């Protein structure tokens, strides 16, 4: 039997849940299909290592307008990890120790030079393709542009490590325009971009945001139910689900990450640009590891370089006899977030005195429902694919952080895209039968 509804939303991550909430408010019947047995997608608060850890997306900021509007709407609160008292970095093979401010001063000249043209290239981040000639910048990786600066080795490695922290990808693969977009979102200030992307988290975890949105919608939300096939024409679409069901809808909103969208069985098939973007894949293929070490320790921040399995590490929770660190590397194939010995070894690039007790994380690259961490485009993907990735195809619409204008790849971008697409769907339904 084929069920009927107004809109099927494929994906119960932040973008899908926001879309469902907004369309429900318009009196539309909405069904959300979520393949996993939990909601949230790439945000996932889970209790491990004795703390509520964010296995996926974590940090947000008041300069992220859509995320902050949700914080205000639901009365959520933010907190931050302990302020680092020490910083560690490398100068070639030598270890350096200092303060985080000293590290920031070290990378400042490279950051300023690298990002000097940000507001000329992307003067209006809400319309990232608005400035003609962006193709020339989009041909380069962030590594190409760092290399051009010819920085002294200590500055060079430090800048590399900072960008791995942002990109979660080999810098040779990450588009220079992604660095420009992030910085344009904070009006050209790399310091603010840095703070916005990695300091403040929700007191109740991203779980509190997910639960707040879910409590605020009447949508029919089905976890453990994947969309398997979509057949669409001008009148609507039929979505076949993993439990053998079929749902006919006037509109379908797809919120799948770039790396899996093109794999979905859609007839007629998605446009060439959307499929090519999936085939090429995003640059992001990094790893996020949570590490419990014996304490007490002083809170610290550490940067190595792009070539190390872990490029960034810092204290996120301090206990009396332990501490929990969060760490990032550019390539998940080089280190597993479940391999305690390998993680302990990787930490020794900075210091020998840490005793690793337990590690955890999630292999987002191997996860068939994401196959990426947070969006980082490859060179030329912005100028070749982005406009087409946002574009509706008949009764199919496309939301998701990967297709956001301003904070693409962030929680904020997921919300922005959900709001935009809900408006698009509503407008479509009021102007056509
Ligand atoms: C390790 C990591 C760290 C991050 N750190 C930050 C951070 O600090 N700050 C920040 O702002 N952002 C961060 N992000 C990014 C942020 O989490 C994401 O950009 C955002 O959550 C994406 O939301 P979305 O709804 O667009 O996509 P997703 O969350 O990926 O949602 C898509 C949903 O679709 C579901 N799905 C897939 N296939 C199907 C199918 N066939 N049928 C039905 N459902 C399907 C998936 O299970 C998923 O729930 C991080 C992400 C990761 C992975």
């Amino acid at each position: 039997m084929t069920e009927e509804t107004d809109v099927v939303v494929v994906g119960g991550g932040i973008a899908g849940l926001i879309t469902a909430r907004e369309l429900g408010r318009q009196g539309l019947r909405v069904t959300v299909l979520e393949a996993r047995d939990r909601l949230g997608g790439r945000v996932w608060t889970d209790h491990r290592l004795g703390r509520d850890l964010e296995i996926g997306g974590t940090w947000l900021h008041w300069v992220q307008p859509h995320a902050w509007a949700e914080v205000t709407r639901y009365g959520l609160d933010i907190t931050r990890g302990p302020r680092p008292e020490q910083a560690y970095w490398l100068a070639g093979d030598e270890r350096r120790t200092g303060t985080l401010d000293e590290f920031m001063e070290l990378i400042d000249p490279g950051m300023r030079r690298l990002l000097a043209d940000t507001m000329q290239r992307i003067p209006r981040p809400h319309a990232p393709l608005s400035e003609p000639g962006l193709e020339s910048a989009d041909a380069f990786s962030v590594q190409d542009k760092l290399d051009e600066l010819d920085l002294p080795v200590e500055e060079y490695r430090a800048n590399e490590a900072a960008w791995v922290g942002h990109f979660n990808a080999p810098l040779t693969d990450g588009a220079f325009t992604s660095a420009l977009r992030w910085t344009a979102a904070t009006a050209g200030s790399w310091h603010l971009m840095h703070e916005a992307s990695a300091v403040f988290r929700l007191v109740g975890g991203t779980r509190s945001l997910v639960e707040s949105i879910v409590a605020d919608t009447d949508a029919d939300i089905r976890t453990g139910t994947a969309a398997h096939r979509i057949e669409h024409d001008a009148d609507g679409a039929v979505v076949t689900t993993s439990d053998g069901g079929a749902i006919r809808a006037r509109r379908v909103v797809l919120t799948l990450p770039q790396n899996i969208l093109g794999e979905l069985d859609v007839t007629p098939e998605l446009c060439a640009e959307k499929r090519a973007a999936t085939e090429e894949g995003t640059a992001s293929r990094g790893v996020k590891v949570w590490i419990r070490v014996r304490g007490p320790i002083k809170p610290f921040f550490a940067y190595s370089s792009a070539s190390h399995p872990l490029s960034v590490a810092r204290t996120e929770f301090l206990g009396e006899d332990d501490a929990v660190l969060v760490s990032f590397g550019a390539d998940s194939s080089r280190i597993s977030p479940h391999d305690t010995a390998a993680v302990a070894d990787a930490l020794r690039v900075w210091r020998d005195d840490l005793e690793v007790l337990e590690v955890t994380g999630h292999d987002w690259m191997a996860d068939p429902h994401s196959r990426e961490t947070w969006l980082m485009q490859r060179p030329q993907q912005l100028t070749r694919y982005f406009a087409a990735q946002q574009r509706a195809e008949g009764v199919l619409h496309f939301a998701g952080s990967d297709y956001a204008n301003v904070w693409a790849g962030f929680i904020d971008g997921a919300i922005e895209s959900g709001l935009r697409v809900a408006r698009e769907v509503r407008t479509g339904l009021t102007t056509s039968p």
Side-chain angles (χ1 to χ4, degrees), residues 11 14-15 33-36 41-42 56-59 226-227 374 400-401 409-411:
I14 297 287
L33 302 177
E34 170 50 53
R36 294 181 171 112
R42 280 176 284 165
T58 311
W59 296 295
W374 62 91
S401 183
F410 288 80
I411 295 165

Side-chain angles (χ1 to χ4, degrees), residues 9 26 35 47 54 75 82 117 120 144 174 178 225 228 249 255 272 280 294 314 326 338 365 371 383 394 420-421 423:
V9 175
Q26 305 299 315
H47 196 76
E54 297 293 354
D117 290 343
Q120 283 76 46
D144 294 332
S178 289
T225 312
H228 264 184
T255 72
E280 282 177 21
R294 193 173 302 285
R314 78 167 198 227
V326 64
H338 303 290
M365 294 306 296
R371 296 214 188 281
T383 45
R420 175 179 58 77
V421 167
R423 175 171 42 75

Side-chain angles (χ1 to χ4, degrees), residues 287-289 331-340 342-343 359 363:
V287 64
K288 175 180 187 177
V289 193
D331 190 343
S332 62
S333 68
R334 295 188 57 195
I335 190 160
S336 159
H338 303 290
D339 186 340
T340 307
V343 170
V359 299
D363 189 347

Side-chain angles (χ1 to χ4, degrees), residues 311-387:
S311 301
V312 187
R314 78 167 198 227
T315 318
E316 198 62 17
F317 298 93
L318 265 189
E320 286 187 4
D321 56 6
D322 71 356
V324 175
L325 319 177
V326 64
S327 185
F328 296 90
D331 190 343
S332 62
S333 68
R334 295 188 57 195
I335 190 160
S336 159
H338 303 290
D339 186 340
T340 307
V343 170
D345 196 43
L347 286 182
R348 275 192 279 276
V349 65
W350 296 293
R351 44 193 289 187
D352 304 304
D353 59 340
L354 293 173
E355 185 187 343
V356 176
L357 303 171
E358 294 174 275
V359 299
T360 191
H362 181 68
D363 189 347
W364 294 98
M365 294 306 296
D367 186 330
H369 304 309
S370 56
R371 296 214 188 281
E372 62 180 73
T373 53
W374 62 91
L375 174 85
M376 205 46 73
Q377 289 166 315
R378 290 175 185 273
Q380 298 187 319
Q381 290 188 338
L382 174 64
T383 45
R384 279 187 185 160
Y385 305 140
F386 180 67

